[in-house]
């Protein structure tokens, strides 16, 4: 049986993955504004997960860095 805390942490991780996947999907699109907003939401979700101890802070930083790098490669002038 999954404990209450474990299921809560899994829900947070799932939400982080959803935000991250959505951001990557929008980055591969052609419009920079929705992609920027999605990356911002993903960054907030990663920071909150790290702050709550669900993921390691370095893990959050690494994912945020990779997202920003993809965004800047896709839309260099924005």
């Amino acid at each position: 049986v999954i404990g209450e805390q474990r299921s809560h942490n899994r829900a947070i991780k799932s939400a982080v993955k959803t935000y991250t996947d959505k951001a990557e999907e929008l980055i591969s699109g052609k419009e920079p504004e929705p992609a920027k907003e999605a990356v911002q939401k993903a960054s907030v979700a990663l920071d909150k997960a790290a702050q709550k101890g669900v993921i390691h802070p370095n893990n959050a930083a690494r994912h945020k860095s990779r997202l920003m790098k993809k965004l800047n490669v896709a839309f260099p002038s924005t």
Side-chain angles (χ1 to χ4, degrees), residues 1-64:
V1 177
I2 297 177
E4 189 175 334
Q5 188 64 50
R6 180 172 173 214
S7 62
H8 183 256
N9 287 348
R10 287 179 67 157
I12 292 172
K13 282 185 185 181
S14 177
V16 167
K17 288 177 188 174
T18 301
Y19 282 121
T20 304
D21 290 346
K22 182 72 173 172
E24 288 183 2
E25 183 181 312
L26 287 170
I27 287 170
S28 65
K30 299 299 177 202
E31 296 188 40
E33 287 307 314
K36 277 185 182 179
E37 291 176 24
V39 168
Q40 181 64 31
K41 287 181 182 179
S43 294
V44 169
L46 284 161
D47 283 336
K48 282 186 180 180
Q51 187 177 19
K52 292 176 183 179
V54 177
I55 61 173
H56 195 279
N58 289 356
N59 184 329
R62 182 176 66 247
H63 281 86
K64 284 170 55 179

